[in-house]
Amino acid sequence: MPTAPRSTPPPRPSLTERRRAETQLEIARTAAALFTEHGAAVTAEEIARTSGVALRTFYRYFRTKEDAVVPLLANGVREWLDDLAAPSAPPEALPVREVLERAAHRALTPADEPAAEALHWTRGLLRASPDDPALRAVWHRVHHDSEEALRPVLARLTGADPWAVRLAAAAANTAMRIAVEEWAAGDTAPDGPRGPGALVVPALRALTAGLPELAAPCRAYTGNERENGEARGR
């Protein structure tokens, strides 16, 4: 079976860009902690002061106080998409649905302390969002953007028509969202049997059951080297 050519990796961000991203993520963590503790009463001034940046600097990065949490929420989404988009080609390609399930499970199962902390703050934000429509809108906007970004990735993996790709992207993104929301509503550990990583797999299967395109082998298998080794050993 011919393998898809490897795409050229994107250029590494400049030092300035990396520092900017690190600063934004640090502000996002601070904002999430404050929203978790104080809810909608949090102000941009409080977030800036607690983060150790000037208010002018805060507004250079974010339009509103709620926008400050976007880097934290979008980080896990970006890792999931990067995982799916990174081409690799073992001898036997897996079905697209299984590749999606594996990547989603990895994205929502914390592998280290920073990942566990990010899920902790996400839980706090989701619990604060019912009383803060603007914060809730940010959560849904992040997932809308995720769905849009997922469509070209799935188009490459499946070769399906645009309608099927759009349905698949909507279903996969919804599974990710409701798995996190369901977990955040309770008090279970993020890496346990009721954690978001465990919940997302049955959610994906239920929501994509009517999409035969996802049962076909990937046109280009994606995933990390550990998963590739598991696939070869079967």
Side-chain angles (χ1 to χ4, degrees):
M1 179 178 180
T3 59
R6 287 183 175 271
S7 60
T8 303
R12 190 181 184 204
S14 68
L15 180 60
T16 299
E17 290 171 330
R18 296 200 301 273
R19 284 176 175 168
R20 177 185 176 91
E22 288 168 3
T23 300
Q24 289 176 318
L25 187 56
E26 187 57 39
I27 294 172
R29 292 190 184 106
T30 300
L34 290 171
F35 275 117
T36 298
E37 185 174 355
H38 302 294
V42 172
T43 65
E45 289 82 357
E46 287 178 279
I47 297 171
R49 184 174 63 253
T50 309
S51 300
V53 300
L55 185 61
R56 182 174 59 182
T57 301
F58 176 89
Y59 279 118
R60 191 161 66 240
Y61 290 144
F62 307 108
R63 290 184 307 159
T64 68
K65 63 180 183 178
E66 291 84 9
D67 281 342
V69 303
V70 169
L72 179 68
L73 296 177
N75 203 44
V77 170
R78 185 164 51 249
E79 289 176 1
W80 181 50
L81 292 172
D82 288 347
D83 192 1
L84 285 170
S88 185
E92 222 175 307
L94 293 173
V96 177
R97 183 176 286 105
E98 186 170 348
V99 171
L100 277 172
E101 289 173 5
R102 290 183 178 207
H105 184 268
R106 281 194 297 270
L108 296 183
T109 303
D112 51 29
E113 188 58 36
E117 183 184 64
L119 279 171
H120 168 74
W121 294 131
T122 300
R123 171 181 265 166
L125 288 170
L126 288 173
R127 289 182 173 183
S129 67
D131 298 322
D132 189 338
L135 194 59
R136 189 163 63 249
V138 165
W139 170 249
H140 287 286
R141 188 175 81 235
V142 166
H143 279 277
H144 176 270
D145 292 347
S146 168
E147 182 180 321
E148 292 292 308
L150 182 57
R151 285 163 64 179
V153 177
L154 286 177
R156 180 175 62 81
L157 293 178
T158 63
D161 65 80
W163 174 244
V165 166
R166 185 169 188 177
L167 289 175
N173 184 72
T174 299
M176 294 283 282
R177 178 177 59 80
I178 63 176
V180 175
E181 290 174 351
E182 181 68 17
W183 166 75
D187 295 303
T188 59
D191 55 355
R194 294 292 296 172
L199 293 173
V200 75
V201 173
L204 263 170
R205 290 175 184 171
L207 292 174
T208 63
L211 296 172
E213 294 83 359
L214 299 188
C218 281
R219 296 176 70 195
Y221 178 83
T222 61
N224 61 28
E225 289 304 313
R226 177 174 60 82
E227 293 290 351
N228 292 349
E230 290 175 4
R232 294 189 194 101
R234 289 183 176 178

PDB file of all heavy atoms in Angstrom, residues 78-106:
ATOM      1  N   ARG A  78      -5.270  22.355  20.451  1.00  0.00           N
ATOM      2  CA  ARG A  78      -4.166  22.456  19.492  1.00  0.00           C
ATOM      3  C   ARG A  78      -3.311  21.199  19.518  1.00  0.00           C
ATOM      4  O   ARG A  78      -2.882  20.698  18.468  1.00  0.00           O
ATOM      5  CB  ARG A  78      -3.328  23.691  19.804  1.00  0.00           C
ATOM      6  CG  ARG A  78      -2.226  23.961  18.790  1.00  0.00           C
ATOM      7  CD  ARG A  78      -1.700  25.378  18.938  1.00  0.00           C
ATOM      8  NE  ARG A  78      -1.333  25.687  20.303  1.00  0.00           N
ATOM      9  CZ  ARG A  78      -2.001  26.554  21.080  1.00  0.00           C
ATOM     10  NH1 ARG A  78      -3.066  27.151  20.613  1.00  0.00           N
ATOM     11  NH2 ARG A  78      -1.608  26.800  22.304  1.00  0.00           N
ATOM     12  N   GLU A  79      -3.068  20.659  20.706  1.00  0.00           N
ATOM     13  CA  GLU A  79      -2.274  19.431  20.802  1.00  0.00           C
ATOM     14  C   GLU A  79      -2.984  18.265  20.115  1.00  0.00           C
ATOM     15  O   GLU A  79      -2.357  17.439  19.451  1.00  0.00           O
ATOM     16  CB  GLU A  79      -2.006  19.100  22.274  1.00  0.00           C
ATOM     17  CG  GLU A  79      -1.028  20.061  22.933  1.00  0.00           C
ATOM     18  CD  GLU A  79      -0.850  19.778  24.409  1.00  0.00           C
ATOM     19  OE1 GLU A  79      -1.487  18.819  24.909  1.00  0.00           O
ATOM     20  OE2 GLU A  79      -0.086  20.499  25.054  1.00  0.00           O
ATOM     21  N   TRP A  80      -4.315  18.187  20.270  1.00  0.00           N
ATOM     22  CA  TRP A  80      -5.095  17.128  19.626  1.00  0.00           C
ATOM     23  C   TRP A  80      -4.995  17.243  18.108  1.00  0.00           C
ATOM     24  O   TRP A  80      -4.742  16.267  17.410  1.00  0.00           O
ATOM     25  CB  TRP A  80      -6.540  17.230  20.093  1.00  0.00           C
ATOM     26  CG  TRP A  80      -7.461  16.194  19.528  1.00  0.00           C
ATOM     27  CD1 TRP A  80      -7.262  14.845  19.491  1.00  0.00           C
ATOM     28  CD2 TRP A  80      -8.745  16.409  18.947  1.00  0.00           C
ATOM     29  NE1 TRP A  80      -8.344  14.211  18.926  1.00  0.00           N
ATOM     30  CE2 TRP A  80      -9.266  15.142  18.581  1.00  0.00           C
ATOM     31  CE3 TRP A  80      -9.514  17.546  18.708  1.00  0.00           C
ATOM     32  CZ2 TRP A  80     -10.512  14.991  17.978  1.00  0.00           C
ATOM     33  CZ3 TRP A  80     -10.760  17.390  18.125  1.00  0.00           C
ATOM     34  CH2 TRP A  80     -11.244  16.131  17.759  1.00  0.00           C
ATOM     35  N   LEU A  81      -5.162  18.457  17.601  1.00  0.00           N
ATOM     36  CA  LEU A  81      -5.089  18.666  16.157  1.00  0.00           C
ATOM     37  C   LEU A  81      -3.685  18.402  15.623  1.00  0.00           C
ATOM     38  O   LEU A  81      -3.514  17.815  14.551  1.00  0.00           O
ATOM     39  CB  LEU A  81      -5.530  20.088  15.812  1.00  0.00           C
ATOM     40  CG  LEU A  81      -7.008  20.409  16.052  1.00  0.00           C
ATOM     41  CD1 LEU A  81      -7.277  21.888  15.850  1.00  0.00           C
ATOM     42  CD2 LEU A  81      -7.888  19.577  15.135  1.00  0.00           C
ATOM     43  N   ASP A  82      -2.669  18.824  16.378  1.00  0.00           N
ATOM     44  CA  ASP A  82      -1.292  18.562  15.952  1.00  0.00           C
ATOM     45  C   ASP A  82      -1.016  17.071  15.902  1.00  0.00           C
ATOM     46  O   ASP A  82      -0.324  16.584  15.002  1.00  0.00           O
ATOM     47  CB  ASP A  82      -0.303  19.238  16.913  1.00  0.00           C
ATOM     48  CG  ASP A  82      -0.279  20.748  16.762  1.00  0.00           C
ATOM     49  OD1 ASP A  82      -0.832  21.252  15.757  1.00  0.00           O
ATOM     50  OD2 ASP A  82       0.277  21.428  17.639  1.00  0.00           O
ATOM     51  N   ASP A  83      -1.545  16.339  16.868  1.00  0.00           N
ATOM     52  CA  ASP A  83      -1.382  14.891  16.910  1.00  0.00           C
ATOM     53  C   ASP A  83      -1.996  14.259  15.664  1.00  0.00           C
ATOM     54  O   ASP A  83      -1.385  13.419  14.989  1.00  0.00           O
ATOM     55  CB  ASP A  83      -2.046  14.345  18.175  1.00  0.00           C
ATOM     56  CG  ASP A  83      -1.688  12.896  18.462  1.00  0.00           C
ATOM     57  OD1 ASP A  83      -0.912  12.307  17.691  1.00  0.00           O
ATOM     58  OD2 ASP A  83      -2.192  12.355  19.449  1.00  0.00           O
ATOM     59  N   LEU A  84      -3.215  14.672  15.329  1.00  0.00           N
ATOM     60  CA  LEU A  84      -3.894  14.125  14.160  1.00  0.00           C
ATOM     61  C   LEU A  84      -3.224  14.542  12.857  1.00  0.00           C
ATOM     62  O   LEU A  84      -3.204  13.787  11.884  1.00  0.00           O
ATOM     63  CB  LEU A  84      -5.352  14.598  14.134  1.00  0.00           C
ATOM     64  CG  LEU A  84      -6.303  13.923  15.118  1.00  0.00           C
ATOM     65  CD1 LEU A  84      -7.630  14.673  15.143  1.00  0.00           C
ATOM     66  CD2 LEU A  84      -6.529  12.470  14.747  1.00  0.00           C
ATOM     67  N   ALA A  85      -2.687  15.747  12.840  1.00  0.00           N
ATOM     68  CA  ALA A  85      -2.133  16.279  11.592  1.00  0.00           C
ATOM     69  C   ALA A  85      -0.706  15.825  11.325  1.00  0.00           C
ATOM     70  O   ALA A  85      -0.206  16.006  10.213  1.00  0.00           O
ATOM     71  CB  ALA A  85      -2.177  17.809  11.613  1.00  0.00           C
ATOM     72  N   ALA A  86      -0.039  15.233  12.327  1.00  0.00           N
ATOM     73  CA  ALA A  86       1.351  14.822  12.137  1.00  0.00           C
ATOM     74  C   ALA A  86       1.391  13.494  11.386  1.00  0.00           C
ATOM     75  O   ALA A  86       0.987  12.479  11.932  1.00  0.00           O
ATOM     76  CB  ALA A  86       2.043  14.682  13.492  1.00  0.00           C
ATOM     77  N   PRO A  87       1.838  13.481  10.130  1.00  0.00           N
ATOM     78  CA  PRO A  87       1.759  12.247   9.339  1.00  0.00           C
ATOM     79  C   PRO A  87       2.807  11.226   9.738  1.00  0.00           C
ATOM     80  O   PRO A  87       3.926  11.548  10.073  1.00  0.00           O
ATOM     81  CB  PRO A  87       1.990  12.734   7.907  1.00  0.00           C
ATOM     82  CG  PRO A  87       2.796  13.966   8.071  1.00  0.00           C
ATOM     83  CD  PRO A  87       2.376  14.589   9.374  1.00  0.00           C
ATOM     84  N   SER A  88       2.396   9.995   9.707  1.00  0.00           N
ATOM     85  CA  SER A  88       3.286   8.871   9.958  1.00  0.00           C
ATOM     86  C   SER A  88       2.711   7.679   9.215  1.00  0.00           C
ATOM     87  O   SER A  88       1.515   7.622   8.963  1.00  0.00           O
ATOM     88  CB  SER A  88       3.367   8.584  11.457  1.00  0.00           C
ATOM     89  OG  SER A  88       4.302   7.569  11.709  1.00  0.00           O
ATOM     90  N   ALA A  89       3.530   6.714   8.847  1.00  0.00           N
ATOM     91  CA  ALA A  89       3.017   5.650   7.978  1.00  0.00           C
ATOM     92  C   ALA A  89       3.562   4.282   8.342  1.00  0.00           C
ATOM     93  O   ALA A  89       4.570   3.843   7.821  1.00  0.00           O
ATOM     94  CB  ALA A  89       3.351   5.973   6.532  1.00  0.00           C
ATOM     95  N   PRO A  90       2.911   3.567   9.273  1.00  0.00           N
ATOM     96  CA  PRO A  90       3.291   2.193   9.558  1.00  0.00           C
ATOM     97  C   PRO A  90       2.776   1.273   8.453  1.00  0.00           C
ATOM     98  O   PRO A  90       1.998   1.704   7.605  1.00  0.00           O
ATOM     99  CB  PRO A  90       2.595   1.900  10.888  1.00  0.00           C
ATOM    100  CG  PRO A  90       1.385   2.763  10.839  1.00  0.00           C
ATOM    101  CD  PRO A  90       1.787   4.003  10.101  1.00  0.00           C
ATOM    102  N   PRO A  91       3.152   0.002   8.442  1.00  0.00           N
ATOM    103  CA  PRO A  91       2.733  -0.890   7.367  1.00  0.00           C
ATOM    104  C   PRO A  91       1.227  -1.034   7.238  1.00  0.00           C
ATOM    105  O   PRO A  91       0.702  -1.182   6.146  1.00  0.00           O
ATOM    106  CB  PRO A  91       3.376  -2.230   7.747  1.00  0.00           C
ATOM    107  CG  PRO A  91       4.491  -1.880   8.650  1.00  0.00           C
ATOM    108  CD  PRO A  91       4.057  -0.639   9.383  1.00  0.00           C
ATOM    109  N   GLU A  92       0.519  -0.988   8.375  1.00  0.00           N
ATOM    110  CA  GLU A  92      -0.921  -1.233   8.332  1.00  0.00           C
ATOM    111  C   GLU A  92      -1.665  -0.023   8.868  1.00  0.00           C
ATOM    112  O   GLU A  92      -1.512   0.339  10.027  1.00  0.00           O
ATOM    113  CB  GLU A  92      -1.262  -2.462   9.182  1.00  0.00           C
ATOM    114  CG  GLU A  92      -2.286  -3.370   8.532  1.00  0.00           C
ATOM    115  CD  GLU A  92      -2.492  -4.615   9.374  1.00  0.00           C
ATOM    116  OE1 GLU A  92      -1.504  -5.272   9.691  1.00  0.00           O
ATOM    117  OE2 GLU A  92      -3.647  -4.885   9.710  1.00  0.00           O
ATOM    118  N   ALA A  93      -2.440   0.619   8.027  1.00  0.00           N
ATOM    119  CA  ALA A  93      -3.162   1.814   8.459  1.00  0.00           C
ATOM    120  C   ALA A  93      -4.365   1.436   9.314  1.00  0.00           C
ATOM    121  O   ALA A  93      -5.035   0.442   9.062  1.00  0.00           O
ATOM    122  CB  ALA A  93      -3.619   2.613   7.246  1.00  0.00           C
ATOM    123  N   LEU A  94      -4.636   2.259  10.309  1.00  0.00           N
ATOM    124  CA  LEU A  94      -5.796   2.050  11.181  1.00  0.00           C
ATOM    125  C   LEU A  94      -7.012   2.761  10.610  1.00  0.00           C
ATOM    126  O   LEU A  94      -6.888   3.720   9.850  1.00  0.00           O
ATOM    127  CB  LEU A  94      -5.497   2.603  12.571  1.00  0.00           C
ATOM    128  CG  LEU A  94      -4.413   1.900  13.381  1.00  0.00           C
ATOM    129  CD1 LEU A  94      -4.137   2.692  14.641  1.00  0.00           C
ATOM    130  CD2 LEU A  94      -4.832   0.487  13.719  1.00  0.00           C
ATOM    131  N   PRO A  95      -8.214   2.337  10.999  1.00  0.00           N
ATOM    132  CA  PRO A  95      -9.412   3.075  10.594  1.00  0.00           C
ATOM    133  C   PRO A  95      -9.381   4.494  11.168  1.00  0.00           C
ATOM    134  O   PRO A  95      -8.849   4.733  12.253  1.00  0.00           O
ATOM    135  CB  PRO A  95     -10.555   2.265  11.219  1.00  0.00           C
ATOM    136  CG  PRO A  95      -9.986   0.911  11.461  1.00  0.00           C
ATOM    137  CD  PRO A  95      -8.539   1.113  11.752  1.00  0.00           C
ATOM    138  N   VAL A  96      -9.974   5.414  10.431  1.00  0.00           N
ATOM    139  CA  VAL A  96      -9.972   6.811  10.864  1.00  0.00           C
ATOM    140  C   VAL A  96     -10.599   6.948  12.248  1.00  0.00           C
ATOM    141  O   VAL A  96     -10.103   7.684  13.099  1.00  0.00           O
ATOM    142  CB  VAL A  96     -10.733   7.686   9.850  1.00  0.00           C
ATOM    143  CG1 VAL A  96     -10.790   9.132  10.332  1.00  0.00           C
ATOM    144  CG2 VAL A  96     -10.086   7.608   8.481  1.00  0.00           C
ATOM    145  N   ARG A  97     -11.699   6.220  12.499  1.00  0.00           N
ATOM    146  CA  ARG A  97     -12.368   6.327  13.792  1.00  0.00           C
ATOM    147  C   ARG A  97     -11.430   5.947  14.933  1.00  0.00           C
ATOM    148  O   ARG A  97     -11.404   6.603  15.980  1.00  0.00           O
ATOM    149  CB  ARG A  97     -13.618   5.445  13.829  1.00  0.00           C
ATOM    150  CG  ARG A  97     -14.398   5.575  15.141  1.00  0.00           C
ATOM    151  CD  ARG A  97     -15.684   4.770  15.135  1.00  0.00           C
ATOM    152  NE  ARG A  97     -16.711   5.380  14.302  1.00  0.00           N
ATOM    153  CZ  ARG A  97     -17.077   4.940  13.111  1.00  0.00           C
ATOM    154  NH1 ARG A  97     -16.508   3.857  12.602  1.00  0.00           N
ATOM    155  NH2 ARG A  97     -18.023   5.546  12.426  1.00  0.00           N
ATOM    156  N   GLU A  98     -10.640   4.902  14.756  1.00  0.00           N
ATOM    157  CA  GLU A  98      -9.727   4.483  15.815  1.00  0.00           C
ATOM    158  C   GLU A  98      -8.624   5.509  16.031  1.00  0.00           C
ATOM    159  O   GLU A  98      -8.201   5.771  17.161  1.00  0.00           O
ATOM    160  CB  GLU A  98      -9.119   3.121  15.495  1.00  0.00           C
ATOM    161  CG  GLU A  98      -8.269   2.579  16.636  1.00  0.00           C
ATOM    162  CD  GLU A  98      -7.858   1.130  16.447  1.00  0.00           C
ATOM    163  OE1 GLU A  98      -8.413   0.465  15.549  1.00  0.00           O
ATOM    164  OE2 GLU A  98      -6.980   0.683  17.201  1.00  0.00           O
ATOM    165  N   VAL A  99      -8.147   6.108  14.951  1.00  0.00           N
ATOM    166  CA  VAL A  99      -7.134   7.157  15.071  1.00  0.00           C
ATOM    167  C   VAL A  99      -7.704   8.353  15.840  1.00  0.00           C
ATOM    168  O   VAL A  99      -7.045   8.915  16.716  1.00  0.00           O
ATOM    169  CB  VAL A  99      -6.644   7.588  13.672  1.00  0.00           C
ATOM    170  CG1 VAL A  99      -5.752   8.824  13.769  1.00  0.00           C
ATOM    171  CG2 VAL A  99      -5.870   6.452  13.014  1.00  0.00           C
ATOM    172  N   LEU A 100      -8.944   8.719  15.532  1.00  0.00           N
ATOM    173  CA  LEU A 100      -9.598   9.802  16.260  1.00  0.00           C
ATOM    174  C   LEU A 100      -9.740   9.468  17.742  1.00  0.00           C
ATOM    175  O   LEU A 100      -9.475  10.303  18.609  1.00  0.00           O
ATOM    176  CB  LEU A 100     -10.986  10.060  15.668  1.00  0.00           C
ATOM    177  CG  LEU A 100     -11.087  10.958  14.440  1.00  0.00           C
ATOM    178  CD1 LEU A 100     -12.509  10.936  13.904  1.00  0.00           C
ATOM    179  CD2 LEU A 100     -10.675  12.381  14.780  1.00  0.00           C
ATOM    180  N   GLU A 101     -10.173   8.242  18.025  1.00  0.00           N
ATOM    181  CA  GLU A 101     -10.369   7.830  19.416  1.00  0.00           C
ATOM    182  C   GLU A 101      -9.058   7.882  20.191  1.00  0.00           C
ATOM    183  O   GLU A 101      -9.007   8.374  21.324  1.00  0.00           O
ATOM    184  CB  GLU A 101     -10.957   6.423  19.467  1.00  0.00           C
ATOM    185  CG  GLU A 101     -12.403   6.335  19.020  1.00  0.00           C
ATOM    186  CD  GLU A 101     -12.902   4.902  18.930  1.00  0.00           C
ATOM    187  OE1 GLU A 101     -12.135   3.985  19.308  1.00  0.00           O
ATOM    188  OE2 GLU A 101     -14.052   4.690  18.498  1.00  0.00           O
ATOM    189  N   ARG A 102      -7.995   7.370  19.596  1.00  0.00           N
ATOM    190  CA  ARG A 102      -6.698   7.354  20.281  1.00  0.00           C
ATOM    191  C   ARG A 102      -6.201   8.768  20.550  1.00  0.00           C
ATOM    192  O   ARG A 102      -5.710   9.076  21.638  1.00  0.00           O
ATOM    193  CB  ARG A 102      -5.674   6.591  19.443  1.00  0.00           C
ATOM    194  CG  ARG A 102      -5.916   5.091  19.379  1.00  0.00           C
ATOM    195  CD  ARG A 102      -4.817   4.422  18.589  1.00  0.00           C
ATOM    196  NE  ARG A 102      -4.992   2.969  18.543  1.00  0.00           N
ATOM    197  CZ  ARG A 102      -4.001   2.112  18.398  1.00  0.00           C
ATOM    198  NH1 ARG A 102      -2.763   2.547  18.285  1.00  0.00           N
ATOM    199  NH2 ARG A 102      -4.237   0.811  18.365  1.00  0.00           N
ATOM    200  N   ALA A 103      -6.312   9.626  19.538  1.00  0.00           N
ATOM    201  CA  ALA A 103      -5.838  10.999  19.707  1.00  0.00           C
ATOM    202  C   ALA A 103      -6.674  11.748  20.735  1.00  0.00           C
ATOM    203  O   ALA A 103      -6.140  12.505  21.550  1.00  0.00           O
ATOM    204  CB  ALA A 103      -5.872  11.725  18.362  1.00  0.00           C
ATOM    205  N   ALA A 104      -7.993  11.544  20.710  1.00  0.00           N
ATOM    206  CA  ALA A 104      -8.867  12.210  21.684  1.00  0.00           C
ATOM    207  C   ALA A 104      -8.573  11.727  23.099  1.00  0.00           C
ATOM    208  O   ALA A 104      -8.528  12.522  24.046  1.00  0.00           O
ATOM    209  CB  ALA A 104     -10.330  11.961  21.323  1.00  0.00           C
ATOM    210  N   HIS A 105      -8.375  10.423  23.244  1.00  0.00           N
ATOM    211  CA  HIS A 105      -8.063   9.866  24.568  1.00  0.00           C
ATOM    212  C   HIS A 105      -6.748  10.439  25.092  1.00  0.00           C
ATOM    213  O   HIS A 105      -6.645  10.812  26.267  1.00  0.00           O
ATOM    214  CB  HIS A 105      -7.986   8.341  24.488  1.00  0.00           C
ATOM    215  CG  HIS A 105      -7.760   7.684  25.815  1.00  0.00           C
ATOM    216  ND1 HIS A 105      -6.495   7.397  26.296  1.00  0.00           N
ATOM    217  CD2 HIS A 105      -8.630   7.271  26.774  1.00  0.00           C
ATOM    218  CE1 HIS A 105      -6.605   6.832  27.485  1.00  0.00           C
ATOM    219  NE2 HIS A 105      -7.884   6.752  27.800  1.00  0.00           N
ATOM    220  N   ARG A 106      -5.738  10.528  24.222  1.00  0.00           N
ATOM    221  CA  ARG A 106      -4.453  11.104  24.652  1.00  0.00           C
ATOM    222  C   ARG A 106      -4.625  12.562  25.061  1.00  0.00           C
ATOM    223  O   ARG A 106      -4.074  13.009  26.066  1.00  0.00           O
ATOM    224  CB  ARG A 106      -3.425  11.011  23.522  1.00  0.00           C
ATOM    225  CG  ARG A 106      -2.790   9.660  23.341  1.00  0.00           C
ATOM    226  CD  ARG A 106      -1.562   9.745  22.442  1.00  0.00           C
ATOM    227  NE  ARG A 106      -1.887  10.181  21.103  1.00  0.00           N
ATOM    228  CZ  ARG A 106      -2.200   9.361  20.100  1.00  0.00           C
ATOM    229  NH1 ARG A 106      -2.278   8.064  20.307  1.00  0.00           N
ATOM    230  NH2 ARG A 106      -2.451   9.839  18.904  1.00  0.00           N
TER     231      ARG A 106
END
